[in-house]
Amino acid sequence: MRNLRFRSAATAATTALVAALALTACGQTDTASADTKPDAKTTSTATSTPEDDSTSKPDEATDKPQDSSGQNAETASSNSGGKGAGSDTGKSNSNSNSSAKSGARTTCTGGNTKVTVTNVTRPINHLLVTATNTGKGTCDAYYAPLLGFDDAQAVTQINEDSKPQAVVTLAPGESAYASIALGGDGSPDIAAYKLSVHFAGRANQGSVGSPANLTLPKGTMISDTTSVSYWQSTMADALTW
């Protein structure tokens, strides 16, 4: 009877021990499973939630190269280009001013014109003075040419009736004309060999610039009443006086 109780007690103890061991094993298995199983919540958040633009896109201002002052190189280049354009504009304006000066309107003189004197068949006893603009700009032929024959101390008288309505303006290559009436009111009877042609200024206060010194056509005769016309824009107008 005692043996049966002891066996029963031993059996119960063994059963309890096996149960305890089984429970311990189950706890370890569950723990390992829990440790190795990924966190579903964390994984879902990482894969399904898009990143914010501030983290997915690079900072454009930071990514651009900077110069030593911290300014974006692209902006500095743009600003530099603007300054360059300004410099080009300055040069362009400078060139324009130079062109304007080279083409400025001036007074016709012996220095910017080519002057000739020739015989004409009609009217008789007349010479024709021609002044052609050889400069790069426009020049004005004011009043009448101031003539000096040979060593004359006074300029030849001017025919005031020949005064045109406007000043004769010459573009480069254009010519002004004046006629010399050798006889004037009488017959030419004084031999002349040389002629100096001076140009009047705008104020008509004497000559300006350099004169043109010419040799007269062979056989030229003048008189005490020889006169010269105002500058005219055409040869025909000049030869009417």
Side-chain angles (χ1 to χ4, degrees):
M1 190 69 165
R2 286 179 179 177
N3 290 336
L4 179 59
R5 287 179 180 176
F6 178 79
R7 289 177 181 176
S8 295
T11 301
T14 301
T15 301
L17 178 61
V18 170
L21 292 173
L23 289 173
T24 301
C26 288
Q28 291 176 350
T29 303
D30 292 340
T31 301
S33 176
D35 292 339
T36 58
K37 185 177 180 179
D39 187 343
K41 182 177 180 181
T42 303
T43 303
S44 175
T45 301
T47 57
S48 64
T49 303
E51 296 181 348
D52 185 76
D53 289 344
S54 64
T55 59
S56 62
K57 295 181 180 180
D59 186 344
E60 294 179 358
T62 303
D63 287 351
K64 291 179 180 179
Q66 297 183 343
D67 61 15
S68 59
S69 64
Q71 184 182 21
N72 287 342
E74 182 179 357
T75 304
S77 176
S78 175
N79 292 340
S80 176
K83 292 179 181 179
S87 298
D88 290 340
T89 302
K91 291 178 182 179
S92 179
N93 291 339
S94 177
N95 290 337
S96 298
N97 292 336
S98 297
S99 297
K101 289 180 180 179
S102 65
R105 191 163 174 167
T106 61
T107 300
C108 297
T109 68
N112 57 19
T113 62
K114 179 181 179 180
V115 184
T116 61
V117 57
T118 55
N119 270 318
V120 294
T121 56
R122 290 179 181 277
I124 60 171
N125 295 328
H126 275 68
L127 297 175
L128 179 69
V129 178
T130 303
T132 303
N133 183 356
T134 58
K136 294 182 179 180
T138 300
C139 74
D140 292 317
Y142 292 107
Y143 305 100
L146 306 176
L147 304 183
F149 287 94
D150 293 329
D151 297 325
Q153 299 300 309
V155 297
T156 301
Q157 62 182 330
I158 298 171
N159 184 346
E160 292 296 336
D161 292 337
S162 65
K163 186 175 182 179
Q165 294 182 348
V167 174
V168 178
T169 299
L170 306 180
E174 292 183 339
S175 300
Y177 306 90
S179 65
I180 302 174
L182 297 172
D185 294 333
S187 298
D189 54 5
I190 305 170
Y193 304 96
K194 295 181 180 180
L195 178 68
S196 60
V197 181
H198 295 257
F199 291 80
R202 183 175 182 177
N204 197 23
Q205 298 295 317
S207 63
V208 296
S210 56
N213 296 305
L214 310 174
T215 298
L216 290 166
K218 188 177 180 178
T220 297
M221 304 291 287
I222 62 174
S223 68
D224 291 335
T225 58
T226 295
S227 64
V228 62
S229 73
Y230 275 72
W231 289 114
Q232 309 291 331
S233 57
T234 67
M235 186 186 303
D237 287 343
L239 292 176
T240 58
W241 307 102

